[in-house]
Structure formats: C-alpha cells, structure tokens
Amino acid sequence: MRRLRGAGRDAFGLWRHRLLFLVGGVGVGLAAVLMAHLADAAQGAFRQVLALSPWLALGITPAGFGLCAWLARTVFPNAQGSGIPQVIAARQTGQAALRRSLVSLKVAAGKIVVMSLGLLFGASTGREGPTVQVGAAIMAAAGHLTPERMPGLILAGGAAGVAAAFNTPLAGIVFGIEELGRAYEARTGGLIVAAIVAAGLTALALTGNYTYFGTSDAALPFGPGWLAVPVLGAVGGLAGGGFARIVILFARGLPGRLGAALARHPIPFAAACGLGVALCGLASGGAVYGTGYEEARALLHGTSQAPLDFTPLKFLATLLSAISGIPGGLFAPSLSVGAGLGAAVQGLFADVPVAALVLVGMVAYLTGALQAPITAFVIVTEMTQDHALMIPLMVAALIADAVSKAVCCEGLYHALAQVLLERAGPPPSPAAAAPH
C-alpha cells in the first residue's frame, strides 16, 4: 500500500507539472491574440491621424516616445525593449526577487499596454518579442508553486510566445533551444512542446489557420542566380551586425559626457528618438512606421515596389526605436528591413524571382541582427510555407551569421541580458543579509 501511495503521489506530481504547462500555454495563446489585435488597432489609429496631416507625427511621435519611456521606467520597470533579454536574464539569475521583477504579471500587463502605445505613436517596433516576455510571465505565474521548475517554465512560456505570435510552432521550439535556452535541458523538451501546442491551438481557435506572410512558391534553381544568396547574406550580416552593435553600445552607455547626459535625461532622449522616427516617416511617405508587416508582405507578393530609400529609412527608424528604451520587439521590423534589402537588389539579379530575393533578404538581415541562424530560416519558411527555398535560406543564414559575428562578437539578446544582470548586481551574501 505504501508503494502504491508513493507511486500515486509521483504520478500526481508529474501530471500536475504537465497540466501547468498546458494551462499556461492556453494563457499565452490568449495573450498573443490580444496583443495582435491591439497592435493592429494601434497602427490603424495612427494611420487615421496621419491621414489628417502627415506633419502631425512631428508632435505626436516625440511626445508619445517620451510618455512610453516614462511609463517603462517608472510605472512598469523592466518592460523596456523587446522583452527577450529579460526572459534570458530571468532564466540565468539565481535571485528569486530579480527573476520575479523581470517576468511578473505586472511587467506583462505593462508590456502589453506600453507596446500598444508605442505603435499608436508610430514606433518602428513589433509585438513578437514582447509576446515572448508576456508568455514567460504567464507561465511563471502558473508555476509559482514549483520554483524548482521555474527556468523550464520561463523557457516554455517564451517559446510558446513565438509560436503563437507567428503561428509557427516549429520556430517556437527552435527559438526556445537556440536563443532562450543555450543551456537546454532535454527533459524539459516534452513540456515545451505541450505548452507550444496549447498556445498554438488557442490562437488557431480564435484566429483560424493562417500563414503570417501568406504562402509563397518562389524557387531559386541552381545557377547564376545563386550569386544573390552570398551577396544578400553578406550585406544582411553586415547591416544586422551593425544594428546589434549600436544597440548594445547604447544599452551599456556611451562613454564620456554624452553618455552621462543621456543617462541623466532618458525621457528627453526618447523624445528625440521619436522625432527622428517621425522625420524618417515623413521622408518615406509613412512607410516606416509600425511593424512593417504590410510593406514586407506587399514586397513578397509583388503588389508594390519599395523605393530605394525604404530600407535605410526603416533601418534607422527601427534603430531609433530600439535605443529609445520604449517597449517593442525587433522581429517584424527586421523582417521588413530584410524584405526591402532583397527587393533593392532586384536590378542586379533580374532573372531571380523577386519573392526569392525578398525571402533571402529577410533571413539574412534577421540572422545578422539576432545571430540566431536556425531560428531565422525556420521562422521565414514556416511563415510562407515555401520549402523550395530551404537550402538557399540556410546558406544565406550561415553567411550572415559569420559576417555578423565579425562585426559584433556577441549576440544581441544575450548581451542585453548580461547588461540587466550586471546592473542588478551580485546576490546579497548571507552575512550581509543577516540582521545586526
């Protein structure tokens, strides 16, 4: 009887853990759908304002950036940026208080609110990175009674966030392994899949089955056209690596008086970044505001042609949004920059379908910015269901990753996570913590 009771307790504990992952996954799916609707509504409202006069952005966007930066620093601390560095830092830290501050439900709520406000004011940001932090916070809250499983729960929540945001379950698994959990535990794998399935099914039930950018059947037969792959891989790696290096530099603080001044006045600096974004928006005819999803989709399907200045202006608008300190992700804007990069070289490779160039450009730039090559080509393949380009996308990702590492020796998200851990300081020693 004692053996049976012991086996029953073990089975109950096992199924309780699995149920936590499933319940948390459903919560992540609901949050992802909510964030998608809020992001679309915010961008739609901003476009309606610009329809009155595009010059209104010169006042609205700087003020909005200042407001978002203030909220992220004072009301919802640790909600800044994409959210993925916070998830990585929460997995790596041994301080329970720091972990709770990085992936709490308060931070998740703030992330949703301020991310939506950023898009309402024209920020060149995405919702996918924030969905990772929100997913990790929901999963951590669901498993607060099992602190020993907290790193695995956070990993599963972040991976489920990627899967639900893009409707790309395989990319969620790959991202969880490659980017969030470089010290990956094999025993957590089944539970991560369970969370991703739960989040994905919830999102599918509410939004239906879809491909993020629509299906594509572009192909790149082996021949002279393949020269576009190393060219785009190198350019994407160079541009993405430069982007990452600049963001890390600002996160660590610029040297000298300028850096000290920016540290003392973060809200005016955010407003200045917003003014820069507004100027980029005016120069581009409004094309660089928001996630860039519609522009990238139009380039992929050939329904529009981007002007030559779209790529540099979208790059600059995304860079200014990233260093401003406001909440917002990098995935969607990076895919938009990569799509513009691919479309820009169409004149050099007239025999290559523009869709193939756009997809290769997406993978190349996303890899260069994040230094996560497997995630980049898997996520783009799943978002378009175009498996004919798998090998060219892999080659572009490998080249872009190598070039990016030559420009920036550390991965963007992990470098930003290290900044968070360094600023939090070492855990208090038992002697220092003891009362005197």
Side-chain angles (χ1 to χ4, degrees), residues 104-123:
S104 68
L105 289 180
K106 178 184 177 181
V107 171
K111 195 78 171 189
I112 295 173
V113 171
V114 188
M115 179 272 300
S116 302
L117 285 176
L119 291 171
L120 179 64
F121 297 127

Side-chain angles (χ1 to χ4, degrees), residues 234-322:
V235 175
L238 182 64
F243 175 90
R245 185 162 184 170
I246 296 172
V247 172
I248 294 170
L249 176 64
F250 274 86
R252 288 179 172 156
L254 296 178
R257 293 182 178 179
L258 178 59
L262 295 181
R264 286 195 306 269
H265 306 288
I267 310 305
F269 174 66
C273 290
L275 178 60
V277 172
L279 292 173
C280 291
L282 286 172
S284 67
V288 302
Y289 294 123
T291 62
Y293 164 77
E294 293 181 356
E295 289 77 14
R297 183 185 177 99
L299 291 174
L300 175 62
H301 295 284
T303 57
S304 73
Q305 292 184 342
L308 290 177
D309 61 357
F310 170 76
T311 303
L313 288 173
K314 184 63 176 176
F315 174 92
L316 182 57
T318 305
L319 178 62
L320 290 169
S321 299

Side-chain angles (χ1 to χ4, degrees), residues 141-392:
H144 70 282
L145 295 178
T146 56
E148 73 281 359
R149 304 300 299 274
M150 196 57 69
L153 286 163
I154 292 172
L155 174 60
V162 171
F166 285 116
N167 189 31
T168 52
L170 180 58
I173 296 172
V174 172
F175 183 75
I177 296 172
E178 183 179 39
E179 192 62 18
L180 295 181
R182 296 192 175 180
Y184 181 67
E185 299 178 14
R187 61 192 180 95
T188 311
L191 299 179
I192 293 174
V193 173
I196 288 172
V197 168
L201 287 176
T202 303
L204 285 174
L206 295 174
T207 62
N209 195 12
Y210 69 97
T211 49
Y212 190 83
F213 282 122
T215 57
S216 171
D217 57 358
L220 185 59
F222 190 76
W226 262 69
L227 182 60
V229 176
V231 169
L232 284 172
V235 175
L238 182 64
F243 175 90
R245 185 162 184 170
I246 296 172
V247 172
I248 294 170
L249 176 64
F250 274 86
R252 288 179 172 156
L254 296 178
R257 293 182 178 179
L258 178 59
L262 295 181
R264 286 195 306 269
H265 306 288
I267 310 305
F269 174 66
C273 290
L275 178 60
V277 172
L279 292 173
C280 291
L282 286 172
S284 67
V288 302
Y289 294 123
T291 62
Y293 164 77
E294 293 181 356
E295 289 77 14
R297 183 185 177 99
L299 291 174
L300 175 62
H301 295 284
T303 57
S304 73
Q305 292 184 342
L308 290 177
D309 61 357
F310 170 76
T311 303
L313 288 173
K314 184 63 176 176
F315 174 92
L316 182 57
T318 305
L319 178 62
L320 290 169
S321 299
I323 66 176
S324 69
I326 70 171
L330 299 175
F331 270 94
S334 295
L335 291 171
S336 180
V337 173
L341 184 64
V345 302
Q346 184 181 11
L348 300 176
F349 304 99
D351 295 333
V352 179
V354 65
L357 295 173
V358 167
L359 291 176
V360 173
M362 284 182 179
V363 170
Y365 183 78
L366 185 62
T367 299
L370 306 185
Q371 293 185 8
I374 303 176
T375 297
F377 73 74
V378 169
I379 207 168
V380 169
T381 299
E382 274 198 289
M383 285 192 301
T384 59
Q385 293 297 309
D386 191 341
H387 300 281
L389 278 175
M390 180 68 79
I391 298 301

